[in-house]
């Protein structure tokens, strides 16, 4: 069976959820192989978990280059592994860095790139990818006709499913990567550590609780955060709330903000403008809380509550905590 490479997102010695989703999807296309790059904190603990999610092989490359230079060392290593393995496809997470790596790898391989895929499957002539466009009004199914297809898949596009109960021990294939070409490489000059939070990363979160202008002010986001914490969710915001200075721009969902595809998206005090829908319409289940029964968000919601969010959300939080 052909190898399908999955570039593994990891941090602090832990595999991030999108990598396990990619391995689950890769199993549909062939035999998954995990590629772990720059895991200075050790690949062995990570490798067992990757095998549990179906990785038949685990490749690893490490060294100072991965810490000092973003992107290019990953591109060098992933391209080399893809060529040597004669891979059937390369899957990466559709994050800003993932897309950059994917684009450069596709160029080096002389193939093509599909970004922001929400599904992959085997078509008649090889792997095909599905993209959701125009605020999820249309789906495009496409395939790369030349070379090794490189596909960047959105986090939460699939549910990660293990193939066995426990981590699986086994060898790791070490790949040597030389220093990157100084003419093409960017160098890390400083790092900013974001304040620690227990909430999940917005684009990877399984549940997002989002607030809009209906929240009424920065203080109103307190009820959003309380519900998010009770559910183990990330917090999102509409542009109206962000423009008003009630919540940071990093949390804006929509055309000019972030795109999320969680299992559950809870929109509170958000009218449902097309530009907002562009960032969340591929969510699996949408719940809307709005005091206006005519609000357009109810057109895309699976469940709706007509009411004042300042009354509804605290009750939801209380009930969630009680269970
Ligand atoms: P509103 O449209 O004002 O809706 C507030 C809602 O809250 C109403 O439906 C109201 O009934 C309800 N409400 C009020 N009080 C309560 C209460 N107590 N309880 C329950 N419900 C209540 N928007 C984005 O979100 N993301 C983007 O990325 C984005 N990009 C844009 C790009 C462009 C080029 C343009 C032109 C616009 C963009 N917008 C974006 C703005 C977008 O058009 C809307 O203006 C914005 O989404 C509205 O935000 P909102 O739903 O929070 O506010």
């Amino acid at each position: 069976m052909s190898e399908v490479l999955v570039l593994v997102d990891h941090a602090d010695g832990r595999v991030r959820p999108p990598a396990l989703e990619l391995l689950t999807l890769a199993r549909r296309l062939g035999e998954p192989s995990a590629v772990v790059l720059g895991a200075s904190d050790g690949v062995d603990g990570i490798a067992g978990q990757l095998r549990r999610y179906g990785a038949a092989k685990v490749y690893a490359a490490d060294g100072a280059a991965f810490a000092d230079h973003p992107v290019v060392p990953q591109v060098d290593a992933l391209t080399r592994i893809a060529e040597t393995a004669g891979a059937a496809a390369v899957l990466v997470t559709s994050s800003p860095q993932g897309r950059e790596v994917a684009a450069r790898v596709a160029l080096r391989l002389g193939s093509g790139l599909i970004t922001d895929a929400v599904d992959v499957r085997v078509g008649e002539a090889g792997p095909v990818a599905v993209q959701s466009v125009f605020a999820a009004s249309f789906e495009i199914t496409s395939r790369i006709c030349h070379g090794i297809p490189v596909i960047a898949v959105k986090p939460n596009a699939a549910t990660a499913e293990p193939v066995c109960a426990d981590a699986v021990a086994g060898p790791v294939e070490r790949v040597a990567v030389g220093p990157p070409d100084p003419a093409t490489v960017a160098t890390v000059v400083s790092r900013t550590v974001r304040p620690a939070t227990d909430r999940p990363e917005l684009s990877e979160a399984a549940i997002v609780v989002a607030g809009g202008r209906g929240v009424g002010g920065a203080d109103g986001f307190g009820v959003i955060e309380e519900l998010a914490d009770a559910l183990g969710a990330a917090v999102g915001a509409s542009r109206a709330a962000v423009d008003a200075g009630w919540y940071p721009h990093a949390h804006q969902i929509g055309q000019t903000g972030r795109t999320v595809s969680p299992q559950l998206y809870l929109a509170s005090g958000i009218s449902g403008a097309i530009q907002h829908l562009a960032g969340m319409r591929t969510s699996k289940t949408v719940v809307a809380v709005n005091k206006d029964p005519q609000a357009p968000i109810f057109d895309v919601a699976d469940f709706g509550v007509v009411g004042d969010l300042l009354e509804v959300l605290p009750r939801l939080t209380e009930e969630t905590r009680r269970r």
Side-chain angles (χ1 to χ4, degrees):
M1 206 190 278
S2 317
E3 273 186 65
V4 178
L5 300 185
V6 167
L7 178 60
V8 173
D9 260 352
H10 60 86
D12 306 323
R14 290 174 52 212
V15 179
R16 298 178 74 171
L20 305 179
E21 295 159 19
L22 289 185
L23 284 170
T24 305
L25 288 172
R27 301 201 306 253
R28 296 183 190 166
L29 306 180
E31 191 169 69
S33 292
V35 180
V36 184
L37 303 177
S40 50
D41 30 20
V43 71
D44 294 324
I46 292 178
Q49 195 186 2
L50 298 172
R51 285 195 206 88
R52 184 176 166 236
Y53 280 80
K57 274 191 198 166
V58 177
Y59 297 98
D62 191 19
F66 290 97
D68 298 341
H69 310 288
V71 181
V72 170
Q74 300 202 29
V75 173
D76 290 344
L78 190 54
T79 306
R80 178 185 299 187
I81 296 167
E83 284 174 335
T84 309
V90 176
L91 303 185
V92 304
T93 304
S94 199
S95 60
Q97 177 153 336
R99 285 190 293 271
E100 185 171 353
V101 171
R104 289 171 181 243
V105 169
L107 191 68
R108 294 262 195 101
L109 292 172
S111 63
L113 168 68
I114 296 173
T115 58
D116 286 340
V118 293
D119 199 10
V120 294
R121 56 177 178 260
V122 178
E124 282 175 17
V128 296
V130 179
Q131 292 161 298
S132 178
V133 298
F134 295 132
S137 305
F138 297 94
E139 279 196 346
I140 299 174
T141 302
S142 39
R143 81 178 168 88
I144 292 160
C145 311
H146 185 73
I148 301 171
V150 182
I151 303 172
V153 183
K154 279 187 179 184
N156 280 309
T159 305
E161 287 167 7
V163 291
C164 58
D166 299 310
V168 182
V172 171
E173 292 195 29
R174 307 276 166 180
V175 180
V177 182
D181 176 359
T184 61
V185 80
T187 300
V188 177
V189 290
S190 70
R191 289 178 195 275
T192 306
V193 180
R194 278 196 241 152
T197 160
D198 288 340
R199 295 194 190 110
E201 219 290 307
L202 185 57
S203 54
E204 293 173 7
I207 306 176
V208 174
V209 181
R213 204 192 319 257
V215 161
D219 292 347
F221 267 86
V223 292
I224 302 281
E225 290 183 336
E226 279 176 22
L227 178 57
D229 290 343
L231 291 167
V235 174
S238 74
R239 178 163 160 179
V242 169
D243 283 354
W246 300 347
Y247 221 69
H249 179 261
H251 294 258
Q252 182 180 317
I253 311 283
Q255 185 180 318
T256 43
R258 310 274 295 272
T259 303
V260 296
S261 302
Q263 301 295 326
L264 173 63
Y265 188 85
L266 204 153
S268 307
I270 293 176
S271 60
I274 187 81
Q275 296 90 352
H276 186 80
L277 302 186
M280 47 62 72
R281 206 166 179 174
T282 51
S283 305
K284 307 292 176 298
T285 301
V286 176
V287 176
V289 180
N290 199 303
K291 67 181 184 184
D292 174 8
Q294 305 301 327
I297 190 74
F298 288 125
D299 296 341
V300 297
D302 299 282
F303 301 95
V305 181
V306 178
D308 186 334
L309 68 90
L310 297 172
E311 290 171 17
V312 175
L313 263 53
R315 286 170 63 184
L316 202 49
T317 305
E318 194 185 316
E319 186 62 23
T320 306
R321 287 200 184 121
R322 206 172 59 77
R323 293 178 186 210

